[in-house]
Amino acid sequence: MLIGLESSKTASGHSPETHPLETSSKAICGRARFFRGSTIQWVFLLILLGASAPCGRAESGSWGKTVLKIVFQTDARMSAADFAGEIVQKIEEPLEQAKVAQSLKNLYATGRFQTLSAEVHPAEGGVILVFTGKAKFFIGVVSIEEAPVAVSPSVLANGAHLSLGQPLEATHMAAARGSIVSLLAAEGYYGARVEYHVNPDPATQVARITFSVVPGRPATLSRVEFQGRSPFPPARLSAVAGWKKGIRLTSAKIQRGLSRVHNLLSSRNYLQATVTSGRRVFNPARNAETLIVKINLGPLVRVLAEGGRISSSQLKKTLPIFSDGFTDDLSLDAGSQALENYFERKGYFSSQVRWKRIPHPSEIDITYIISPGSQSDFGGYGFHGNQSIPSSELSPLVTLQPASFPSRPHGVFSRQMLDHDTNAIAAYYHSKGFLDARVTPELGTKEGDLFVSFDIDEGAVTRVGKITIQGVDDSTENQLKELLHDLPGQPYSPALVA
């Protein structure tokens, strides 16, 4: 007898009205049918072997008989005890069509089977229910056997992109092999041979994957082709990059060379230049390759500073445009703030910086106009309103440094540092249970020097009240509360709880 278990949907996307287990005598004696769902695919076959009796009598003679045993026949080591919760058809109970079908559904839903069917074999005093199928294996340890070692085996293993516990499928293995081949090619080994061996463990359904790698001879660099406009000849660019004829190119050497070429162009004020590796052309006959590099020079960017004394080297360190190459308003505003911070640290506490940008067809002129103001000293700082925490405990949180001779003749102050210190003091109060504490810095003068007052509104302290532990039994809860017996009454803070 053959019964098809159908999970497919009608054309409208709804389940068919007919129950999937309802069959006719024609279906019982017909061939096996395959049913495919829109999101889950399976084949559920129920075969009842009734000696030499006709199909119709086989059904009436097998359903209702006592199930003597339930066994598994798969390529993994499985038993009915492993799926006690999924198998609703029990031993010593009558064989029921609905229970066998539900058992098949539950077993397939565990994700441990690729195919699954159920067979019923007659036996003296009842029947034996046999679940037959192909087990699904999962990826375990991935190892690399490489001779000779050309690329670190750990790099190749990670580059295979096979995750522990991932279902073992042919498409995944093919992609993993392709990834390793690509990694080796990126290091100059274009003729590498990569094979893999799968060693499944029937007891755990976990497969150990071993890749056998023979890298072969590495290719050598025959020439470098630069595409795009450049103020330097190709020979100069190749020399700066370190790409000499006859070397073995690696991904690290390419990236290092691209960075060097970019820095060379930036030093000539082509701050928006991009240098990319277009492609690598391999010649199998000569076992050599050509590296193609694309250069997009961009506009010539001239950056000047007026009104304040700052060296060109310090200007390049201070302005973000020299590192990121962006000339939009946000980037130039960030440059103004960086210059103000620099001059504030030098004692120009009222410094202001603005910028102007003048674009040309192939050039951009950017000028930072600095109004440093008069130079003075940072006299120090103080705390007001800190009734619960002494000033000596707050002072280590402050990075502002009053003037002292000879190391800090004008002191160290900037609004950026002031914001950092304000947030640090507030966070410290919060960690002590003052969750509503507010810190407001006030700038003033003291004996002609800049002075900062940190005005603190502490607010009320929040303390730990009752401790409740959920998700454990009473005995474990009491043990945990003994470990936490010091918490009630302590000032509350997230750090304390952690």
Side-chain angles (χ1 to χ4, degrees), residues 21-147:
L21 292 178
E22 292 179 358
T23 59
S24 64
S25 59
K26 181 177 181 180
I28 291 175
C29 297
R31 298 181 60 190
R33 295 186 295 163
F34 293 78
F35 301 99
R36 178 172 303 211
S38 58
T39 57
I40 303 178
Q41 301 178 5
W42 62 73
V43 178
F44 289 156
L45 304 178
L46 183 60
I47 302 173
L48 183 62
L49 303 179
S52 59
C55 291
R57 288 197 300 271
E59 176 182 348
S60 60
S62 297
W63 297 121
K65 286 190 175 181
T66 302
V67 178
L68 303 177
K69 183 187 296 186
I70 299 177
V71 298
F72 279 80
Q73 291 182 353
T74 68
D75 47 349
R77 198 174 304 162
M78 300 178 179
S79 67
D82 299 330
F83 304 97
E86 287 78 14
I87 302 176
V88 296
Q89 174 65 70
K90 302 299 183 181
I91 299 176
E92 302 298 334
E93 292 184 359
L95 181 67
E96 296 184 29
Q97 185 176 359
K99 288 185 177 181
V100 174
Q102 186 62 48
S103 298
L104 282 167
K105 286 183 179 181
N106 295 346
L107 289 169
Y108 193 83
T110 63
R112 295 179 60 180
F113 300 91
Q114 294 187 46
T115 62
L116 188 62
S117 64
E119 297 178 1
V120 179
H121 297 275
E124 184 177 354
V127 295
I128 299 175
L129 178 59
V130 181
F131 290 107
T132 304
K134 187 176 182 182
K136 182 180 292 186
F137 282 82
F138 302 88
I139 293 174
V141 176
V142 177
S143 59
I144 305 290
E145 294 180 353
E146 184 182 10

